[in-house]
Amino acid sequence: MKIVLLGPPGGGKGTQAAELSRRRGIPAISTGDMFRDHVERGTELGRRVRGFIERGELVPDALVLDMVWDRLAAKDCETGFILDGFPRTVEQAEALDQYLADRGQSLLAVINLEVPAEEIVRRISNRRVCPVCGRSYHMIAMPPAEDERCDVEGAALIHREDDRPEVILRRLEEYHARTEPVVHYYRRAGILRPVCGVASAEQVAAAVLREIEGAAARAVTG
Ligand code: AP5
Ligand code: MG
């Protein structure tokens, strides 16, 4: 089961990818989390991508693709995966299609989480993340059990570096200019499944699962 989760910045991709991963036992792969990990560890790739992320710009495709192919080649991806934050340009989408076609594989479905701009800004400004496990919290809608501490790690929650207002605006511009065309790309391919992302995380997860089950049933019956 190979799934892509599309959606605007702060649209709930990470939240839904984690839930789907838990329910389906396949890995959730977030290119944003992978880059942040490289930046944190001070790797060569981390040094090259840091400025793009801090400015809210997309990292050049050439720096994204090899990292993704390496990850998809890992054993835990054999039965499937959920991609969160990749592909984000039409070039990345074409490269993913080619990568899968070379292996006789294809995507089961592309879920597009639809969330309006005002809700995105609300969510990102209320977001705190765990510096240890990366889990996201919404301080009003999905707060941690203990004030400002991760439920799993107990670590003090922090703001993500790129969640500053001016950077959020740049991320939204990049999304409209370069990632919305990916939505149209998958719509033309006939595998796009829109899901309204404005509901509780549980309700959105149920809708995502319905779409995936619909796509799986369609794949079986042809
Ligand atoms: P990335 O980490 O992918 O960031 P993003 O796309 O901007 O998305 P976010 O992680 O901010 O939001 P999300 O959709 O995961 O939402 P979340 O579940 O956290 O990318 C960061 C940067 O890396 C990019 O700007 C770029 O520079 C680079 N990059 C990454 N991939 C790249 C690629 N392929 N190519 C080039 N560059 C790349 O939810 C948000 C908040 O809302 C949280 O507080 C959460 O608790 C809350 N929430 C979630 N669901 C709900 C709900 N239903 N109701 C209420 N609150 C909710
Ligand atoms: Mg995310």
Side-chain angles (χ1 to χ4, degrees), residues 10 13-15 31 36 57 59 85 88 127 137 160 171 199:
K13 301 182 295 296
T15 304
T31 43
R36 282 185 287 278
E57 292 168 12
V59 168
R88 263 176 141 99
R127 171 165 50 192
Y137 295 86
R160 218 168 82 176
R171 284 161 62 199

Side-chain angles (χ1 to χ4, degrees), residues 82-194:
I82 304 147
L83 288 169
D84 154 12
F86 177 89
R88 263 176 141 99
T89 63
V90 169
E91 291 73 17
Q92 290 179 18
E94 288 170 345
L96 177 63
D97 276 350
Q98 190 61 54
Y99 175 93
L100 293 173
D102 288 348
R103 288 155 184 79
Q105 301 169 353
S106 59
L107 292 171
L108 175 66
V110 175
I111 305 289
N112 187 36
L113 296 174
E114 298 181 335
V115 181
E118 61 278 9
E119 174 68 8
I120 291 169
V121 174
R122 242 194 319 272
R123 285 189 188 179
I124 295 185
S125 36
N126 282 299
R127 171 165 50 192
R128 303 289 182 282
V129 294
C130 171
V132 179
C133 67
R135 200 185 164 104
S136 281
Y137 295 86
H138 183 294
M139 296 314 283
I140 298 165
M142 301 162 66
E146 197 191 325
D147 201 27
E148 303 271 335
R149 295 214 162 255
C150 176
D151 291 346
V152 182
E153 303 291 339
L157 301 177
I158 56 167
H159 279 274
R160 218 168 82 176
E161 270 290 309
D162 58 349
D163 280 352
R164 286 172 287 128
E166 67 281 14
V167 183
I168 297 173
L169 283 182
R170 185 78 188 104
R171 284 161 62 199
L172 281 169
E173 280 169 13
E174 286 280 78
Y175 174 76
H176 290 309
R178 301 178 68 193
T179 307
E180 273 179 355
V182 178
V183 177
H184 304 308
Y185 175 90
Y186 285 126
R187 186 177 293 121
R188 280 195 299 276
I191 56 170
L192 187 79
R193 291 191 168 245

